[in-house]
């Protein structure tokens, strides 16, 4: 197998070369579809092009582990606010009226806990409220980017079946790297079919989301000859157009067939 020279790509660059938009038949590629205009950015969001600290913890930690981690980093007023918010959510789970009290607390989390801990606080509130797929969908579609991110992080623990897949699919239509990072976590690894999952991996390569964010990457990529073909074609298209090839591409290509994949050539720095 022949492999292209790799060099780092800039996150979000070369939008015209998005591998998803080059495959119009793919349901994940229709950027005109979905839920309409995105909500305005949350003021508590980290700077564009970054992800919140502790994304691995957010996706994989149990609620108890996450609460211990978050409360250790909060000051006394924020810690007290979070404790009250979690108690309210546990006492009044589900939906009550047009909007539940715990949904209001999710909206306040950025202001109360600060950008470093807001994602985790929102995930904890969703856990405490025992939000089901319907409630998570409501929060996602009505929420800011930060609130959508929290829903995606909470999915693996709160929705055992595939009912949350439309939320993952919606996130994968975007070029928001923070939302994409949350979308390719354990829930996607568990429920995306092979076709959707392959395109999610390519979307990460295109937007500059590190493939470390893709849960269960090693297992799902192993022996996937169709993914190898897609990666090789994508790299060839970019090379022919004079564009850089994402550095993570060779790593994923190696995972598809380790014994047959040679080392990547050294990058030309001349």
């Amino acid at each position: 197998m022949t492999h292209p020279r790799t060099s780092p790509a800039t996150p979000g660059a070369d939008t015209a070369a998005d591998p998803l938009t080059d495959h119009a038949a793919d349901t994940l590629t229709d950027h005109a579809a979905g839920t309409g205009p995105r909500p305005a950015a949350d003021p508590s969001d980290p700077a564009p092009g970054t992800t919140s600290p502790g994304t691995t913890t957010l996706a994989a930690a149990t609620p108890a582990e996450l609460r211990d981690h978050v409360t250790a980093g909060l000051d006394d007023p924020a810690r007290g606010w979070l404790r009250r918010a979690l108690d309210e959510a546990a006492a009044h789970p589900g939906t009550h009226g047009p909007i539940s009290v715990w949904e209001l607390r999710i909206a306040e989390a950025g202001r109360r806990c600060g950008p470093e801990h807001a994602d985790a606080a929102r995930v904890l509130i969703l856990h405490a409220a025992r939000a089901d797929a319907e409630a998570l969908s409501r929060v996602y579609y009505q929420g800011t980017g930060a609130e959508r991110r929290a829903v995606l992080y909470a999915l693996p623990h709160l929705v055992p079946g595939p009912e949350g897949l439309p939320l993952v699919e919606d996130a994968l239509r975007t070029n928001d790297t923070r939302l994409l990072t949350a979308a390719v976590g354990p829930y996607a690894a568990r429920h995306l079919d092979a076709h959707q999952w392959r395109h999610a991996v390519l979307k990460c390569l295109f937007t500059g989301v590190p493939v470390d964010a893709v849960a269960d990457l090693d297992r799902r990529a192993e022996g996937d000859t169709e993914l190898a073909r897609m990666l090789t074609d994508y790299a060839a298209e970019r090379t022919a157009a004079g564009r850089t090839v994402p550095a993570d591409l060779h790593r994923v290509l190696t995972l598809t067939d380790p014994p047959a994949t040679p080392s990547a050539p050294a990058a030309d720095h001349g």
Side-chain angles (χ1 to χ4, degrees), residues 131-228:
D132 59 12
E134 180 180 354
L136 290 170
S137 295
R138 184 177 64 253
V139 173
Y140 181 91
Y141 287 120
Q142 295 178 0
T144 65
E147 290 160 18
R148 292 179 175 211
R149 210 163 50 234
V151 168
L152 294 169
Y153 284 131
L155 278 175
H157 296 287
L158 293 175
V159 182
E163 296 86 357
L165 271 179
L167 309 184
V168 173
E169 292 167 353
D170 182 83
L172 289 173
R173 294 188 186 103
T174 77
N175 285 327
D176 181 334
T177 57
R178 292 161 295 180
L179 206 58
L180 289 169
T181 298
V184 294
Y187 191 83
R190 191 183 308 155
H191 294 292
L192 282 180
D193 65 28
H195 178 71
Q196 293 173 311
W197 185 81
R198 291 176 189 127
H199 280 283
V201 172
L202 260 69
K203 189 63 177 275
C204 288
L205 292 171
F206 165 68
T207 56
V209 171
V211 295
D212 285 340
V214 180
D216 216 5
L217 176 67
D218 291 13
R219 180 187 66 81
R220 291 207 60 166
E222 183 178 3
D224 192 335
T225 56
E226 176 60 14
L227 177 60

Side-chain angles (χ1 to χ4, degrees), residues 87-161:
D87 289 345
E88 285 178 331
H92 303 286
T95 304
H96 302 276
I99 188 167
S100 300
V101 65
W102 57 267
E103 293 179 67
L104 296 174
R105 301 298 171 254
I106 285 175
E108 293 177 12
R111 178 164 52 87
R112 298 287 191 169
C113 298
E116 183 178 355
H117 302 292
D119 278 1
R122 293 184 181 102
V123 171
L124 285 170
I125 292 169
L126 289 169
H127 279 295
R130 303 188 291 281
D132 59 12
E134 180 180 354
L136 290 170
S137 295
R138 184 177 64 253
V139 173
Y140 181 91
Y141 287 120
Q142 295 178 0
T144 65
E147 290 160 18
R148 292 179 175 211
R149 210 163 50 234
V151 168
L152 294 169
Y153 284 131
L155 278 175
H157 296 287
L158 293 175
V159 182

Side-chain angles (χ1 to χ4, degrees), residues 1-8 235 239 245-247 249-251 253-254 261-269:
M1 189 180 294
T2 302
H3 302 284
R5 184 179 67 213
T6 59
S7 57
T239 300
V245 176
L249 186 145
H250 186 270
R251 174 187 168 190
L253 197 55
T254 301
T261 307
S263 299
D268 181 2
H269 298 289

Side-chain angles (χ1 to χ4, degrees), residues 66-75 79 117:
L66 190 56
R67 184 168 183 173
D68 288 345
H69 174 77
V70 174
T71 54
L74 294 175
D75 59 21
R79 193 179 299 118
H117 302 292

Side-chain angles (χ1 to χ4, degrees), residues 11-46:
D14 294 338
T15 54
D18 186 341
L20 296 187
T21 58
D22 289 343
H23 298 272
D26 188 336
T27 57
L28 295 184
T29 68
D30 184 2
H31 294 270
T35 59
R38 297 282 163 184
D42 190 305
S44 68
D45 275 357

